[in-house]
Amino acid sequence: MKELMLVNAKVLTENGLIENGFIYIKNGKIAETGPAATMPALDRDTEIIELSESSTVVPGFIDVHIHGAGGADTMDATTEAINIMATVLPAEGTTSFLATTITQDKDAIIKALENAADYIGHHNHPGKAEVIGIHLEGPFINEDRKGAQPADHIIAPDIDLFAKMQEASGNNIRLVTLAPEKENGYKFITYLAENDVIASVGHSDATYAQMADAVKAGATHVTHLFNGMRGMHHRDPGVAGAALLFNELKIEIIADGIHVVPEMIDLSVRAKGTDGVILITDSMRAKCLKSGTYDLGGQAVSVADGKAFLADGTLAGSILKMKDSLKNMMEFSGIRLEEAVKLASENPAKQLKIFNRKGSIAEGKDADLVVLDENFDVSMAFCRGASSFKRDSQAKV
């Protein structure tokens, strides 16, 4: 793999911002970074990429909850579908993601899991966003809080069935969305925790007391806060209130201003701090495409004006891009770029226990890098040291 040197731009490293820095990439890893004055002598074959002084290089974003993009969906269960997602996502700054399923017939889910496992094992090449695992959203949820999840295939938590699913996935299921109040819910959470799988409460009608029991059982995550769950009430904080109060729980936020209004996003960041929030898109196949009607789990979804709805008016995922989520967070909650990047990169990496190789710019880590211009739009992206997106006017390569 070609050695690269990114120069001239600001660099947001694990230890802070370097105003005029460099990043040396070797064998797909970050070999060295620092101020321009300390740049090492280069091998004659090293490719130098001169960036604008107004640009900032940040760690690649990690989307732990994404169903689809560019006309493709995880449930399509084809190599082509996952490859399309992996190809289009770097343009929005996403350099790795959890391929996310939806509630469906168990055979359809297993087929999607087998396909994702095959992709992870044989097609996860540098230059495309890396599939770092699978998010199993459903079928172990509460039908009363199903949102856009198809009701016909919702079932109670089933450890034996999950074990078959995990086997089909090649042990790549990293996160499971479930309703703890359902039969066997707490046992299922403990089983997941004991097997190093993140148990996430979502599409749940749990009370605060039931949430406390879920945390005791081992839950550490909450799926798209405020959406598909019992909300806050002054006599029962519900799932949402518990998510904000329990330090053990990290929360996902769809920061499009549609799924959650800006004021509630601001409240969430104030309550959890920048250590407790993870940005996600929960996007569907319509992302990157024009308005129209698309499929989500066998259901028709209408997309127009930046919103996706089922026929009955239920919000159905999003068409949000991670770069826009970042900008929205800065606008809605007043946090700085460094803090917003933490929500998109460092926090998900730590939650997935892959911070040793992703989530920040530091020597020895994967060269998953995003170049943002002065408007915080993506001008370039690199996935494991290979160029994956370039907006021609932004860099001289």
Side-chain angles (χ1 to χ4, degrees):
M1 183 177 290
K2 183 181 296 184
E3 295 181 11
L4 302 175
M5 181 73 79
L6 277 57
V7 298
N8 295 341
K10 296 183 284 290
V11 179
L12 182 58
T13 73
E14 192 172 298
N15 298 315
L17 185 69
I18 301 173
E19 284 295 335
N20 181 15
F22 74 89
I23 302 176
Y24 179 37
I25 300 169
K26 187 175 183 179
N27 298 323
K29 303 286 187 179
I30 299 169
E32 189 174 347
T33 185
T38 65
M39 192 168 67
L42 300 179
D43 184 275
R44 61 182 296 177
D45 295 326
T46 301
E47 182 177 352
I48 300 175
I49 300 176
E50 298 181 10
L51 302 171
S52 166
E53 294 179 0
S54 61
S55 296
T56 305
V57 186
V58 301
F61 309 145
I62 302 170
D63 196 346
V64 304
H65 190 159
I66 174 172
H67 297 277
D73 188 286
T74 300
M75 295 302 295
D76 292 345
T78 65
T79 300
E80 180 186 14
I82 303 294
N83 190 59
I84 288 171
M85 294 169 64
T87 300
V88 303
L89 290 178
E92 64 185 72
T94 297
T95 56
S96 53
F97 65 101
L98 294 184
T100 305
T101 62
I102 192 172
T103 299
Q104 272 294 314
D105 174 84
K106 64 180 181 181
D107 291 336
I109 293 175
I110 287 175
K111 184 178 179 182
L113 296 175
E114 290 173 340
N115 178 68
D118 178 73
Y119 188 93
I120 291 170
H122 302 99
H123 305 284
N124 244 347
H125 303 307
K128 298 177 182 179
E130 181 179 1
V131 183
I132 50 175
I134 299 163
H135 176 171
L136 188 75
E137 187 180 16
F140 311 118
I141 58 176
N142 191 321
E143 55 273 13
D144 292 337
R145 300 286 180 175
K146 65 182 180 63
Q149 301 279 326
D152 292 347
H153 303 295
I154 293 173
I155 58 175
D158 185 328
I159 291 174
D160 291 338
L161 175 58
F162 174 77
K164 293 178 182 177
M165 290 178 169
Q166 185 66 295
E167 182 179 4
S169 79
N171 206 40
N172 281 300
I173 298 174
R174 306 294 309 280
L175 191 156
V176 177
T177 293
L178 62 107
E181 72 275 14
K182 301 295 285 185
E183 184 180 0
N184 299 321
Y186 303 118
K187 289 182 181 179
F188 187 40
I189 289 172
T190 298
Y191 174 84
L192 293 175
E194 289 176 346
N195 286 275
D196 203 27
V197 178
I198 298 166
S200 182
V201 179
H203 294 285
S204 165
D205 198 41
T207 64
Y208 182 83
Q210 290 170 324
M211 283 296 293
D213 289 340
V215 170
K216 289 178 184 177
T220 59
H221 198 93
V222 173
T223 296
H224 45 48
L225 181 65
F226 299 118
N227 302 121
M229 65 181 59
R230 182 186 288 260
M232 292 188 291
H233 187 274
H234 55 280
R235 285 190 290 274
D236 180 9
V239 179
L244 296 179
L245 287 170
F246 281 101
N247 291 331
E248 295 91 338
L249 297 171
K250 302 294 188 230
I251 61 169
E252 298 177 357
I253 286 276
I254 306 173
D256 58 2
I258 300 167
H259 284 76
V260 184
V261 297
E263 294 81 4
M264 292 302 283
I265 291 175
D266 187 19
L267 172 65
S268 302
V269 175
R270 294 192 195 194
K272 298 299 288 185
T274 56
D275 289 333
V277 180
I278 294 173
L279 295 180
I280 62 162
T281 65
D282 192 17
S283 67
M284 57 171 290
R285 70 172 75 245
K287 178 161 69 173
C288 307
L289 303 179
K290 62 183 181 180
S291 296
T293 301
Y294 299 90
D295 173 79
L296 179 66
Q299 305 165 106
V301 177
S302 296
V303 176
D305 301 322
K307 302 175 184 178
F309 294 101
L310 297 181
D312 64 3
T314 301
L315 277 170
S318 84
I319 54 172
L320 179 67
K321 296 179 173 67
M322 281 292 276
K323 69 179 183 66
D324 296 325
S325 177
L326 204 77
K327 291 191 282 187
N328 288 343
M329 286 302 298
M330 290 187 280
E331 178 184 347
F332 297 162
S333 64
I335 60 176
R336 296 173 288 111
L337 174 64
E338 294 90 330
E339 296 170 309
V341 169
K342 183 177 185 180
L343 310 188
S345 304
E346 180 179 328
N347 291 353
K350 287 182 174 178
Q351 184 73 330
L352 292 170
K353 298 180 181 178
I354 57 172
F355 191 60
N356 62 314
R357 68 185 184 97
K358 293 187 184 291
S360 68
I361 296 177
E363 293 179 13
K365 291 194 173 186
D366 290 349
D368 290 346
L369 305 168
V370 177
V371 182
L372 300 176
D373 65 18
E374 62 274 17
N375 297 315
F376 308 118
D377 286 317
V378 177
S379 58
M380 298 186 75
F382 299 84
C383 295
R384 286 164 289 163
S387 177
S388 55
F389 173 76
K390 177 192 170 189
R391 211 172 65 214
D392 290 340
S393 62
Q394 297 298 312
K396 295 175 285 185
V397 180

